[in-house]
Amino acid sequence: MTHRHTYRDHPGHRAARTPPALRRAMAAMLAATVATATAQPAPPPATMAPLACLILPERVAEIGSAVIGIVDAIEVDRGDTVRKGQVLIRLRAEVERASNEVARSRAQSEAELRGAVAAQDLAQIKLDRSRRLKAENFVSAQAVEQAEAEMRVAQEKVAQARENLRTLAQEVQMSDAQASQRVLRSPFDGVVTERYANPGERFEDKPLLKVAAIHRLRVEVVAPTALFGRLRPGQELLVHPELPGAAPRKAQIAQIDRVLDPASNTFRLRLDMPNGDASLPAGLRCKIDLGLSAAQSPVGVASGVGEAAR
C-alpha cells in the first residue's frame, strides 16, 4: 500500500526556501524607496493661527465733582473731541462767586495798613521830639520812655496789618479753589463717550461724563501658555482690526503677565498701538498675526522658559 504524505507549507518554511537572489532584490527595492522618500522636500511648517484681541482706549475717566451741586451748563456732548483742560461742565456757584469777590476785595484793601503806617510815622516824630527835649532837660526821662513805648506799639500794628493782608490773600486762594470745584475740566485729550446728566439736575456722587483717550490705543490679548517665553516686551506684532476698510497696524508689546491662569491655561499681554489721527475707533475686536511656527511643542517652550529663568 502506498502512503501519500501531504505537505503544507507555512511562513517559516517559505522564508527558509526564499532564494538568496530574491532577498537581495527585495532589500534593494526597500533601500531605493527610503532614499526616494528622504530626498523629497519637507512641507513648510504650519504657522500658528491668529489670536483674538480687543482694542480699547488708552485711558478712560468718569468725570465727577468733589462737591454736591446742581448742573448749570454742559459744554460738550457725546462724541465731541475735547482737549486737556477744556471746560466740560459748569455747576451753579452763585454763593462761591460772591464769597470770592468779598475775599478779593478785602485782600486788595490797604486802608488798615496805611493807617498803621501813618500812626507809626507820628509815633516816630513824637519820639524824636521827646529825645531832643530830654537832652535840653525840658521833659523827664519818663516822657521819653512813654514815647518809645508808643513807637513799639505802632510798629506792631504795622506788622499786624501786613499779616492780615497775607491772610486775606490766602483766603482768596481758598475761595478760588472752592469756585474751581464748580467747573469740571477734561483731564486729558480724548472724546466724550457717555453723558449722564442734564442742566438743572442735582447730583451727589454719580459721574456726569465719561471721557476716553484714543490717540493711543491699548490692545488686550489672551494667549495660550504655549506662547509664554516666545513673546518679549518691545516686540512688534501686526494687528488686524475687524472693521471694513481698516488696514492692519503695528503694535508693540508693552506688558506680559508673569502669573498664568491655571484654569484656562492662558496668560494676558497688552500692546500699545499709536492712533495719532484718531482714525481707528476703540472697542473693536481684532486678530493678531504672531508670525510664529506651530511646530514647536509646549514641552519645548516650557523647557526654554526654565532655562531662561535659570
Side-chain angles (χ1 to χ4, degrees), residues 200-214:
E201 184 175 349
R202 183 181 183 275
F203 67 92
E204 292 187 6
D205 56 354
K206 72 172 186 178
L208 305 178
L209 291 175
K210 180 186 286 187
V211 178
I214 61 172

Side-chain angles (χ1 to χ4, degrees), residues 97-124:
R97 282 196 294 267
S99 299
N100 183 266
E101 291 176 1
V102 171
R104 194 173 299 277
S105 177
R106 292 176 60 191
Q108 293 175 352
S109 176
E110 297 182 354
E112 182 182 359
L113 177 61
R114 288 196 297 267
V117 172
Q120 181 182 4
D121 293 342
L122 181 59
Q124 183 67 48

Side-chain angles (χ1 to χ4, degrees), residues 49-55 219-221 237-243 248-249 251 271 273 284-290:
L51 296 179
C53 58
L54 185 62
I55 300 175
V219 183
E220 297 287 342
V221 189
L237 301 177
L238 199 59
V239 178
H240 299 265
E242 294 185 358
L243 181 69
R249 299 195 177 198
L271 291 81
M273 183 166 61
L284 290 174
R285 294 185 179 183
C286 58
K287 298 288 185 181
I288 289 188
D289 185 7
L290 300 176

